[in-house]
Amino acid sequence: MAATASPAPGSAVISLLTDYGLADGFVGALHSVLRRAAPSVPIVDLTHDVARQDVRAGSLALLRAAPYLAPGVVVAVVDPGVGTSRRGVAVKTAGGNGMVFIGPDNGLLLPAVDALGGAEGCTQLEDRGYFLPAPGPTFAGRDIFAPAAALVAMGAALAELGSPAGPETLVRLQAPACSRLEDGSLEAEVTWVDRFGNVQLAAEAPEVSANPAGAGGDGAFKAGDRVLVHAHRAKRHGRGTAVSRDARVATAFADLAAGELGLLVDSYGHFALVQNGASAAEFLDVAEGDLLTLRTGLAGA
Amino acid sequence: MAATASPAPGSAVISLLTDYGLADGFVGALHSVLRRAAPSVPIVDLTHDVARQDVRAGSLALLRAAPYLAPGVVVAVVDPGVGTSRRGVAVKTAGGNGMVFIGPDNGLLLPAVDALGGAEGCTQLEDRGYFLPAPGPTFAGRDIFAPAAALVAMGAALAELGSPAGPETLVRLQAPACSRLEDGSLEAEVTWVDRFGNVQLAAEAPEVSANPAGAGGDGAFKAGDRVLVHAHRAKRHGRGTAVSRDARVATAFADLAAGELGLLVDSYGHFALVQNGASAAEFLDVAEGDLLTLRTGLAGA
Amino acid sequence: MAATASPAPGSAVISLLTDYGLADGFVGALHSVLRRAAPSVPIVDLTHDVARQDVRAGSLALLRAAPYLAPGVVVAVVDPGVGTSRRGVAVKTAGGNGMVFIGPDNGLLLPAVDALGGAEGCTQLEDRGYFLPAPGPTFAGRDIFAPAAALVAMGAALAELGSPAGPETLVRLQAPACSRLEDGSLEAEVTWVDRFGNVQLAAEAPEVSANPAGAGGDGAFKAGDRVLVHAHRAKRHGRGTAVSRDARVATAFADLAAGELGLLVDSYGHFALVQNGASAAEFLDVAEGDLLTLRTGLAGA
């Protein structure tokens, strides 16, 4: 770890992702601490509106941000286990210009780290004089993660933040469900419902997947195809009734008539169910975490 | 266009206005892309909470921001036509220190451009190697507009972004309604309801209008005057019942008694209906896009 | 005042706290004005979601931010009296590296100023050519406070902003209620309900209080103790029914069982009522401004 070079001073950006919301001043406190220690380092707020304490949603938001991250340090905090024995960690990626991800070891960081080449090194954060003195145990972002991030952005090596930890010991969340069923249907979890009501699925489109034999990799979905969408298990919401809808494979929102449900590859390379100017999530009555099946080759569809 | 000088490198600020909201990470992606290409250029978030896909509301928000913009580049995205044949454009203003506005050609940019002296030049954005590779067609802000903005902020000429386009070919929205009726009433559209419930009208106050013969230019409203406010057409909300209220012309919130409706010149130079410590929009039951008439010279008012 | 040195040019940060919200473009206007005058000064948004025109809530949010502020200038605006004769002021702190607080003289600034050593000097803002010309009287943040802040951040002395004013003449709000009752109970006002539903009380924990003889200073609350929480006066909400709940003194969220109410020292050094993964504010049905009593030494509790 000690040999791991950090971003060159002056070239780093600090990116932030939390579930703090913008109302309470938590994010302002993070910025204040960062500005005291690293006044001229640019800060990017990826989002602070991850659903409260939803580590999974945070990890997926961070994964979506990963390919576009400015080089430097990422602080991510969705941390229901704050104050327990869960570790704080700094993880350096093998690819992506050696980004450093800092946050709780609860699965939040790993999907993005994996997308940037995996963990090349990992440090368990320990107080080597850089923690801020804190009256209570509840604000690790301000008192531990932000000071650590400022140090790294200013050129500190990971080894200065604590003791080496094996990347293989990091907590890993179960990946979103995505599989091909026996009847040829694609079953995939809803990974994201955005502001516009677009429903992103765990299935990556083959064009952008490194694994063309994976979900959708058989080229089953062609523009113009009809697809039967079945929302058969509403995990989070306990709804008893399933919904079945007909969708059409499209390449752009503009291909869709008003009220028509479309299946397209979204701007993150995932399959998504969308409507043109309306909310597909409302139309399908689905939420993040729900499972959908997509079936093609419909007779008479 | 090639002769059009861009802001000097180092002096530009990039200002952003979108309907992305802050929850989804869309704004974070814009910032990340900008920071990768232009790490030290200051970024101003004008607002990202324009009503979803409401081009008109976005154009009015940008117009309000125009007189105060920091010199440089503006990226504005409210873009229901993303993925259609609508063009992406960069427009340089004749005044305002030669600001460059970048966004969809759907009417969003022009009111602000006009307020800064009109379009001196215009380029239709084309991929000359600066577009980001994108799996889907749906995120022009991240993949086209932000990279273009970073180039301009770093000193690129507009001609490097694509082919010249005639400013007269740019899509232009209908201006908000504002006219003097035969009986002397002023009819004006509600252009904005702010967080405090203040109701801004399309009518500009004569003091700040370059056209003193225009709406309100006859000096019809004097401090202390009584004005009958009639909300006679609730375009968006289909409400059947009109509302009539008595207002008093004021010069400051503090002139108004509790619960009293006031008509004053707001901080943007427009007439606005306000209450002191309450929401005039709720009191009048009006929303953006509604039409109001204001009538003075009331007998016994 | 003229002898009062301001932050050295180049080292200042401008921190902002308002009730503007992020939707209307008010904050964007502040940033634009600051960027025009001080393009390279870092800006920290502490929060812009203070409850509308709630000066008291704003003053408490600013007080919480105070210990972490980056050196430089703070602009705070929660200003129901805008347009009245209330003064705009710039206040320099004796401690905290000589921060300068700028905003309305309505009590908003003083708690934070006091926390940073009190007011060393104060200037009443007057137009010495730096106010922005404004069509209406309603946007002091953009037209007065931001230009003043940019001047100070760039090295201007407070004396350049207006006339000296006695710090003792500044408006001061009543401090949040916190007292020890005759029966030994601690009575304290709710100063904050955060996004997670944690209920902060005016009572500071002795460990971090400079006044160990003050509220809680007798060490009455020890980890594991049972405390009876009585919400006996819901000032703002007019609820007729009081609520009594049993709580346990804890040192971390993780000490608490699911659904258990805990009393701990929060990350700002105040006592707070919390639940692990749930909203204590909902559980207790309390809001900011409500009064609670905490009683220990319960028989059989």
Side-chain angles (χ1 to χ4, degrees):
Chain A
M1 210 71 44
T4 304
S6 288
S11 74
V13 169
I14 299 175
S15 301
L16 308 176
L17 179 144
T18 74
D19 69 344
Y20 290 167
L22 292 173
D24 282 315
F26 298 132
V27 174
L30 276 198
H31 277 251
S32 292
V33 169
L34 292 171
R35 283 281 162 253
R36 289 173 82 126
S40 63
V41 173
I43 299 173
V44 169
D45 293 293
L46 296 170
T47 180
H48 297 289
D49 283 324
V50 172
R52 285 179 288 179
Q53 308 203 336
D54 189 337
V55 178
R56 185 181 186 81
S59 74
L60 294 170
L62 193 58
L63 175 60
R64 284 190 294 274
Y68 301 94
L69 287 168
V73 187
V74 177
V75 176
V77 195
V78 182
D79 195 11
V82 65
T84 67
S85 59
R86 75 98 187 91
R87 304 180 295 182
V89 292
V91 185
K92 181 149 198 158
T93 64
N97 297 311
M99 302 282 299
V100 175
F101 285 73
I102 294 176
D105 177 24
N106 62 7
L108 177 67
L109 309 177
L110 269 192
V113 166
D114 288 346
L116 297 176
E120 181 185 290
C122 176
T123 293
Q124 176 170 338
L125 303 180
E126 291 162 357
D127 192 2
R128 307 228 167 151
Y130 67 87
F131 286 22
L132 296 190
T138 59
F139 199 169
R142 181 191 67 191
D143 301 329
I144 299 173
F145 301 143
L151 281 174
V152 174
M154 300 299 281
L158 257 61
E160 300 176 43
L161 303 179
S163 303
E168 74 286 354
T169 67
L170 293 170
V171 172
R172 185 178 292 277
L173 300 174
Q174 190 174 16
C178 181
S179 58
R180 184 68 65 175
L181 303 184
E182 282 187 14
D183 68 354
S185 298
L186 178 67
E187 183 180 74
E189 187 173 331
V190 174
T191 48
W192 184 31
V193 173
D194 73 16
R195 174 183 218 205
F196 301 95
N198 302 314
V199 177
Q200 188 186 64
L201 304 178
E204 287 183 74
E207 298 91 320
V208 295
S209 169
N211 174 21
D218 54 4
F221 302 119
K222 292 189 178 63
D225 276 3
R226 292 281 159 186
V227 178
L228 183 70
V229 180
H230 190 64
H232 58 99
R233 219 167 76 200
K235 278 201 303 188
R236 301 194 187 187
H237 301 273
R239 298 187 198 98
T241 52
V243 171
S244 288
R245 300 285 187 193
D246 193 37
R248 188 158 60 87
V249 179
T251 57
F253 283 86
D255 297 342
L256 301 168
E260 188 179 20
L261 186 69
L263 176 72
L264 51 67
V265 179
D266 75 5
S267 59
Y268 295 87
H270 282 246
F271 284 115
L273 291 157
V274 306
Q275 286 190 311
N276 189 356
S279 167
E282 286 182 17
F283 183 70
L284 291 165
D285 191 22
V286 294
E288 293 171 13
D290 286 356
L291 273 177
L292 300 183
T293 50
L294 306 179
R295 190 147 59 89
T296 52
L298 304 176
Chain B
M1 210 70 46
T4 303
S6 288
S11 74
V13 168
I14 299 176
S15 300
L16 307 176
L17 179 145
T18 75
D19 68 344
Y20 290 167
L22 293 173
D24 282 316
F26 297 132
V27 173
L30 276 197
H31 277 251
S32 292
V33 169
L34 292 171
R35 282 282 162 251
R36 289 173 82 126
S40 64
V41 174
I43 299 174
V44 169
D45 293 293
L46 296 171
T47 179
H48 296 289
D49 283 325
V50 172
R52 285 179 289 179
Q53 308 203 336
D54 189 335
V55 179
R56 184 181 187 82
S59 74
L60 294 171
L62 193 58
L63 175 60
R64 284 190 293 274
Y68 301 94
L69 288 168
V73 187
V74 177
V75 176
V77 195
V78 181
D79 195 10
V82 64
T84 67
S85 59
R86 74 99 187 90
R87 305 179 296 182
V89 292
V91 184
K92 181 149 199 160
T93 64
N97 298 311
M99 303 282 299
V100 174
F101 286 74
I102 294 176
D105 177 24
N106 62 7
L108 177 67
L109 309 177
L110 270 191
V113 166
D114 288 346
L116 296 176
E120 181 184 290
C122 177
T123 293
Q124 176 170 338
L125 303 180
E126 291 162 357
D127 192 1
R128 307 226 167 151
Y130 66 88
F131 286 21
L132 295 190
T138 59
F139 199 168
R142 180 192 68 190
D143 302 329
I144 300 173
F145 300 143
L151 281 174
V152 174
M154 299 300 280
L158 257 62
E160 301 176 41
L161 302 179
S163 304
E168 74 286 355
T169 67
L170 293 170
V171 171
R172 185 177 291 277
L173 301 174
Q174 189 173 15
C178 180
S179 57
R180 184 67 66 175
L181 304 183
E182 282 188 14
D183 70 353
S185 298
L186 178 67
E187 183 181 74
E189 188 173 332
V190 174
T191 48
W192 184 31
V193 174
D194 73 15
R195 174 182 218 208
F196 302 95
N198 301 315
V199 177
Q200 188 188 63
L201 304 178
E204 286 184 74
E207 297 92 319
V208 295
S209 168
N211 173 21
D218 53 3
F221 302 118
K222 292 189 179 62
D225 277 4
R226 291 280 159 188
V227 178
L228 183 69
V229 180
H230 191 64
H232 58 97
R233 221 169 74 201
K235 277 201 303 188
R236 301 192 186 187
H237 300 272
R239 300 186 195 98
T241 52
V243 171
S244 287
R245 299 285 187 194
D246 193 37
R248 187 158 61 87
V249 179
T251 57
F253 284 86
D255 297 342
L256 301 168
E260 188 179 21
L261 186 68
L263 176 71
L264 50 67
V265 178
D266 73 5
S267 58
Y268 295 88
H270 283 245
F271 284 116
L273 291 156
V274 306
Q275 287 190 311
N276 189 357
S279 168
E282 286 182 17
F283 183 70
L284 291 166
D285 192 22
V286 293
E288 292 171 14
D290 286 356
L291 274 177
L292 300 182
T293 51
L294 306 179
R295 192 146 58 88
T296 52
L298 305 176
Chain C
M1 210 70 45
T4 304
S6 289
S11 73
V13 168
I14 299 176
S15 300
L16 307 176
L17 180 145
T18 74
D19 68 344
Y20 290 167
L22 292 173
D24 282 316
F26 297 133
V27 174
L30 276 197
H31 276 252
S32 291
V33 168
L34 292 171
R35 282 281 163 251
R36 288 173 83 127
S40 63
V41 174
I43 299 174
V44 169
D45 294 292
L46 297 172
T47 179
H48 297 289
D49 284 324
V50 172
R52 285 179 289 180
Q53 307 203 336
D54 189 337
V55 178
R56 185 182 186 80
S59 74
L60 294 172
L62 193 58
L63 174 61
R64 284 191 294 273
Y68 301 95
L69 288 167
V73 188
V74 176
V75 176
V77 196
V78 181
D79 196 10
V82 64
T84 67
S85 59
R86 74 98 188 92
R87 304 180 296 182
V89 293
V91 185
K92 181 149 199 158
T93 64
N97 298 310
M99 302 282 300
V100 175
F101 285 74
I102 294 176
D105 177 24
N106 62 7
L108 177 66
L109 309 177
L110 268 192
V113 166
D114 287 346
L116 297 176
E120 180 184 290
C122 177
T123 293
Q124 176 171 340
L125 303 180
E126 290 162 358
D127 192 1
R128 306 225 168 154
Y130 66 88
F131 286 23
L132 295 189
T138 59
F139 199 168
R142 179 191 69 190
D143 301 330
I144 299 173
F145 301 143
L151 281 174
V152 174
M154 300 299 281
L158 257 62
E160 300 176 43
L161 303 178
S163 304
E168 74 287 354
T169 67
L170 293 169
V171 171
R172 185 177 294 276
L173 301 173
Q174 190 173 14
C178 180
S179 58
R180 184 69 63 176
L181 303 183
E182 282 187 14
D183 69 353
S185 298
L186 178 67
E187 182 181 75
E189 187 174 333
V190 174
T191 48
W192 184 30
V193 173
D194 73 16
R195 174 183 218 206
F196 302 95
N198 301 314
V199 177
Q200 188 187 65
L201 303 178
E204 286 183 74
E207 297 91 320
V208 296
S209 169
N211 173 21
D218 53 3
F221 302 119
K222 293 189 177 61
D225 276 3
R226 291 280 158 188
V227 179
L228 182 70
V229 180
H230 190 64
H232 59 98
R233 218 167 77 200
K235 277 202 303 188
R236 301 193 186 185
H237 300 273
R239 298 187 197 97
T241 53
V243 171
S244 287
R245 301 284 187 193
D246 193 36
R248 187 157 62 87
V249 178
T251 57
F253 283 87
D255 297 342
L256 301 168
E260 188 180 19
L261 186 68
L263 176 71
L264 51 67
V265 178
D266 74 5
S267 59
Y268 295 88
H270 282 246
F271 283 116
L273 291 157
V274 307
Q275 286 190 312
N276 189 357
S279 167
E282 287 182 17
F283 183 70
L284 291 165
D285 191 22
V286 294
E288 291 171 14
D290 287 356
L291 273 178
L292 300 182
T293 51
L294 306 179
R295 192 146 58 89
T296 53
L298 305 176

